[in-house]
Amino acid sequence: MANNQQIEDLAAEIGDKVYIDVAKWHLYLKDAKLHTTVAEQVFPLLNNGLNGDKLTEILTNISIDLGGGRLKTSLLNLIPVTAQARLMDVLQDYERDM
């Protein structure tokens, strides 16, 4: 079972290395205040078969409001493929070090 410190550590790793792309601006997940949400969603799957399909499902299910709520989209739509691959690398490294 995860403790808060483990989730905070994972969130810090995610927040510093993974970004969303909006009009070619890179907004890191910590600055968008999304790093903890992602960490809380993926942590239970670490050491239990986290794979690319499950990560894609998690990112799809995280809804992001844009334009003050005028538009909603999934986090998956905002993370470029390279940043998603970096996220998977971060998760695999964290999982290996657990």
Side-chain angles (χ1 to χ4, degrees), residues 37-53:
T37 300
V38 173
E40 289 171 345
Q41 295 287 318
V42 299
F43 194 90
L45 297 177
L46 296 179
N47 289 326
N48 290 319
L50 178 66
N51 60 42
D53 291 339

Side-chain angles (χ1 to χ4, degrees), residues 5-22:
Q5 187 60 51
Q6 288 175 305
I7 292 174
E8 288 175 22
D9 292 346
L10 179 58
E13 286 289 315
I14 292 169
D16 287 339
K17 295 182 178 153
V18 182
Y19 61 88
I20 59 176
D21 184 315
V22 178

